[in-house]
Amino acid sequence: MRSAFAARLAPALAIVAMLAGCALGPSKPPRVPEPRSIDTAPAPLPPLTGPLTHPKTRWVPVAWAELPGFDEDTTSEGWVALLANCQRPNAAFAPLCGEVRRLAIASPEEQRAFLMERLQPYRVEAPGGQSEGLLTSYYEPVFDATRQPSATHAVPLYGLPPGAGRGRAWYTRQQIDTDPQAQAALRGREIAWLADPIDALMLHIQGSGRLRITEPDGRQRIVRLAFAGTNEQPYRSVQGWLAGQGVSPIGRWPEDVKAWAVQNPQRVPQMLWSNPRYTFFREEPLGEVDAAFGPRGAQGVPLTAGRSVAVDRDAIPYGTPLWLWSAGPTAQLQRLVVAQDTGSAIVGAVRADFFAGTGAEAGRFAARMKQPLRLWALWPRGLDPSGTAVSRN
């Protein structure tokens, strides 16, 4: 169990990490160090290939010297995600959680020494050997909402209805908006009402968010909308639909989409319906500690801004510490992160979605992020990804 001091420290560290997530990267470009002599590397391990447990990926053991920027990362920020990870660790990482908690207030040198002593870095590759992939980003939006519909707030957000989210397709987005049977199934499940259908679409795409709700008595409070399920319909990109209609490339999302909607109000329903996927939510209270973290990811633990990523769970197990490198026009990133979420569009071995944080600034960052990615999995020494001991011979 986490010590009382570490428990008090975690929210403060989370705030630091969230602020770091706003900066979203070091001020100088990543440096890829020259590999050290093989004499300084740990005893070699056999490559870990996907057929062991994860057919989409191949893990190749490497020396720590291969990880760009490893000696420069602010480990205390990454430690927040490791502490969250220990709320629900995978079986391989669980035995290390006592040390992770003890080192929450340790120096960066002590934290790095722990990582190097207890974990083995593996370069994450596709089965064919490709080691470069794609990094995108997502965030937690914040919108104003009301409890009752009005002339200004007429777009509902729904809780999960009976029959949805059970692995089979439910009504499409268009049917939810137009079909009397679908509307009858959702009646009484309205959580809140938004003013803009594009804001609702943003919540559906991101999968969670925060609402500044005006209650019927006039009081205002902030709540979190957590992911509860979907209608199990395929996801389609609205931006892709707009491009197919000959609309100029969307540079700022959602600002440019809203500007197009103002000019083409009669086509807005068609644009929204181009994405049949629909997301349902559940409301959660937002306490002081909760506010320092993002929503819970698919691993079941709160996300840490700038330190949590969504991955393909068939390629990288939830709870896996990762070293992430990405360089491009949006950000220069080289840092410790943890695989704590997933998404329908996050598919492939070297593929990650970077949790940028909460609010408009994080949203602007997330909208711009699309650049090359390299990943290294940091796995407990002597284990393959299934938790089975492997031989060094």
Side-chain angles (χ1 to χ4, degrees):
M1 180 173 290
R2 184 185 304 178
S3 69
F5 184 83
R8 291 194 300 271
L9 178 69
L13 286 176
I15 293 172
V16 172
M18 185 166 289
L19 293 174
C22 294
L24 297 167
S27 57
K28 54 186 177 181
R31 173 181 60 82
V32 180
E34 291 294 325
R36 298 190 186 99
S37 165
I38 190 66
D39 294 336
T40 67
L45 296 174
L48 300 181
T49 55
L52 290 174
T53 51
H54 303 288
K56 290 186 178 180
T57 190
R58 179 173 184 263
W59 290 14
V60 180
V62 299
W64 284 95
E66 181 174 310
L67 278 57
F70 178 71
D71 293 333
E72 303 167 12
D73 187 37
T74 307
T75 54
S76 61
E77 297 167 4
W79 225 259
V80 178
L82 289 180
L83 286 169
N85 186 39
C86 283
Q87 295 178 23
R88 196 176 181 183
N90 61 47
F93 198 79
L96 304 182
C97 282
E99 292 177 86
V100 168
R101 294 179 180 117
R102 178 177 60 79
L103 291 170
I105 57 174
S107 69
E109 292 74 21
E110 291 173 308
Q111 292 173 339
R112 265 189 283 272
F114 164 83
L115 295 175
M116 296 180 72
E117 178 184 352
R118 303 305 301 272
L119 304 177
Q120 165 68 40
Y122 294 87
R123 184 172 60 249
V124 178
E125 299 179 350
Q130 300 89 346
S131 61
E132 186 170 292
L134 175 66
L135 181 68
T136 53
S137 182
Y138 67 120
Y139 79 112
E140 184 182 35
V142 182
F143 297 119
D144 292 320
T146 60
R147 287 294 188 190
Q148 301 296 330
S150 68
T152 58
H153 290 71
V155 183
L157 299 169
Y158 292 110
L160 186 68
R166 297 181 180 177
R168 60 178 183 271
W170 206 64
Y171 295 103
T172 65
R173 180 179 296 274
Q174 181 175 0
Q175 290 171 325
I176 288 171
D177 286 346
T178 61
D179 189 304
Q181 288 186 321
Q183 293 171 348
L186 290 167
R187 193 168 298 124
R189 297 188 176 274
E190 301 89 348
I191 296 175
W193 302 78
L194 298 183
D196 192 325
I198 296 175
D199 288 343
L201 178 67
M202 285 296 298
L203 276 171
H204 290 183
I205 293 172
Q206 301 301 321
S208 63
R210 301 187 190 189
L211 299 181
R212 290 185 293 258
I213 288 190
T214 301
E215 301 287 2
D217 61 4
R219 291 181 299 111
Q220 287 192 334
R221 64 190 185 103
I222 298 179
V223 302
R224 171 169 277 148
L225 286 190
F227 177 86
T230 74
N231 59 350
E232 303 290 345
Q233 295 284 349
Y235 172 81
R236 298 285 184 265
S237 169
V238 166
Q239 290 165 292
W241 181 85
L242 288 168
Q245 302 298 307
V247 179
S248 299
I250 301 299
R252 299 176 306 152
W253 170 266
E255 289 88 349
D256 288 353
V257 176
K258 289 187 176 184
W260 177 89
V262 170
Q263 298 173 356
N264 301 270
Q266 74 285 355
R267 301 186 67 191
V268 169
Q270 186 182 6
M271 177 192 70
L272 297 173
W273 296 339
S274 69
N275 176 23
R277 173 71 62 88
Y278 200 95
T279 302
F280 303 106
F281 303 97
R282 65 175 181 273
E283 181 179 330
E284 295 180 349
L286 196 64
E288 181 178 352
V289 173
D290 298 323
F293 290 90
R296 291 184 181 273
Q299 184 191 0
V301 303
L303 302 178
T304 302
R307 297 291 175 164
S308 296
V309 295
V311 298
D312 185 337
R313 61 183 178 181
D314 291 327
I316 298 173
Y318 293 149
T320 301
L322 299 165
W323 190 259
L324 178 150
W325 176 93
S326 181
T330 299
Q332 314 294 313
L333 302 173
Q334 46 189 23
R335 59 179 58 188
L336 175 67
V337 298
V338 183
Q340 296 178 318
D341 204 2
T342 193
S344 59
I346 313 306
V347 178
V350 192
R351 179 72 174 93
D353 212 17
F354 181 86
F355 179 62
T358 299
E361 183 178 350
R364 286 188 286 271
F365 173 90
R368 298 193 307 270
M369 172 56 71
K370 190 174 185 180
Q371 57 189 47
L373 168 71
R374 295 178 68 193
L375 289 173
W376 292 260
L378 311 181
W379 200 253
R381 288 188 177 277
L383 297 178
D384 71 33
S386 68
T388 303
V390 296
S391 171
R392 290 179 177 268
N393 297 325

